[in-house]
Amino acid sequence: EPHLESRFFYSGGIKEFVQHLDKGKKIINQEPIYFEKARDGLKVEVALQYNEGYTGSLLSFVNSINTLEGGTHEQGFKTALTRVINSYASKYHMLDDLKISGEDVLEGLTSIISIKIPNPQFEGQTKTKLGNSDVRGVVSSLTNDFLETFFEENPSMGKNIIGKILTAARAREAARKARELTRRKGLLDKCRLPGKLADCQERDINRSELFIVEGDSAG
């Protein structure tokens, strides 16, 4: 029988993979941000790209095994990305009163993290979650160092990406306030305040008072 052989090869590696995943989307940084670094026997490779969509896609691999349940390498990456974005936005006075969360940073993000490690410890029911505690710190440190330098050297790209993330943060904050208002209204409806009383609209506690009354005449 003839020998059949199939080869799957992408010269661009995970960088090209990210571009493939983002096909057809409106891209914010046309060239994916990419780095490959090693420390303490751990090799880390990361590629990431932002698009104008509302969902995020983070794929992670350990020794070419797809870690579907994430793990310490993903945690380290997310922590560093969120920290750098917050720091950069604060430095250039882009935050106002906002605080960027990990959820905001992942919106519209397509990213792949691939690590190589001598002794991986897999957890979870399907053994697809990395448990090595030391990996979190190494991945976080390497990611932090690279991205800090990258955003400083590419200010226009950094500001475009942070603009997208700030939009996500504002939308999340607006949704939170709307939920709080709905809950407060619901509570007031249940309390059935006398007609002469109204819920306080003042945000400064020094100018707010609570009146406890009995009956409409007292109100």
Side-chain angles (χ1 to χ4, degrees):
E1 292 183 5
H3 176 66
L4 298 176
E5 184 177 288
S6 297
R7 291 189 180 186
F8 298 91
F9 175 71
Y10 292 91
S11 58
I14 63 171
K15 187 176 175 182
E16 192 173 335
F17 194 176
V18 163
Q19 290 174 313
H20 169 72
L21 293 173
D22 266 350
K23 260 183 186 171
K25 298 176 183 176
K26 290 184 178 179
I27 307 302
I28 293 174
N29 57 304
Q30 292 299 325
E31 184 70 16
I33 299 170
Y34 172 84
F35 73 88
E36 180 180 342
K37 294 190 175 289
R39 184 184 294 171
D40 302 332
L42 172 67
K43 178 182 172 184
V44 180
E45 196 179 0
V46 170
L48 60 102
Q49 187 172 50
Y50 275 92
N51 61 70
E52 294 183 12
Y54 301 107
T55 57
S57 175
L58 171 58
L59 299 179
S60 62
F61 299 86
V62 175
N63 297 350
S64 298
I65 297 167
N66 189 357
T67 40
L68 298 168
E69 297 177 271
T72 51
H73 54 329
E74 281 195 15
Q75 292 162 11
F77 170 70
K78 290 176 184 176
T79 299
L81 182 60
T82 305
R83 186 192 305 125
V84 170
I85 294 291
N86 263 302
S87 174
Y88 187 89
S90 176
K91 181 178 179 180
Y92 290 99
H93 311 291
M94 300 172 73
L95 280 177
D96 297 325
D97 294 329
L98 279 174
K99 174 73 174 175
I100 295 170
S101 72
E103 177 188 342
D104 303 325
V105 167
L106 294 177
E107 184 175 301
L109 171 68
T110 301
S111 57
I112 297 172
I113 172 170
S114 175
I115 73 167
K116 298 289 171 58
I117 185 174
N119 300 300
Q121 298 166 9
F122 293 109
E123 301 174 351
Q125 192 171 359
T126 57
K127 299 297 180 188
T128 54
K129 180 178 181 180
L130 186 69
N132 299 61
S133 59
D134 57 321
V135 168
R136 183 188 297 106
V138 176
V139 171
S140 180
S141 177
L142 292 175
T143 302
N144 191 90
D145 293 348
F146 173 81
L147 289 179
E148 271 190 346
T149 303
F150 181 87
F151 282 132
E152 287 298 332
E153 293 177 351
N154 300 273
S156 61
M157 186 186 295
K159 285 171 184 174
N160 286 341
I161 288 173
I162 287 171
K164 156 70 179 174
I165 293 168
L166 286 173
T167 300
R170 291 189 187 102
R172 176 182 53 78
E173 186 64 13
R176 183 188 66 78
K177 287 179 179 177
R179 285 194 303 271
E180 281 187 1
L181 183 60
T182 302
R183 289 190 188 114
R184 289 183 71 183
K185 282 183 176 178
L187 286 170
L188 290 174
D189 289 343
K190 290 175 185 174
C191 290
R192 296 182 182 176
L193 287 174
K196 295 178 183 178
L197 294 182
D199 183 36
C200 177
Q201 299 297 313
E202 177 59 58
R203 300 182 73 86
D204 182 358
I205 60 171
N206 295 313
R207 299 177 57 190
S208 301
E209 293 180 89
L210 172 65
F211 292 92
I212 301 175
V213 301
E214 182 180 1
D216 285 345
S217 59

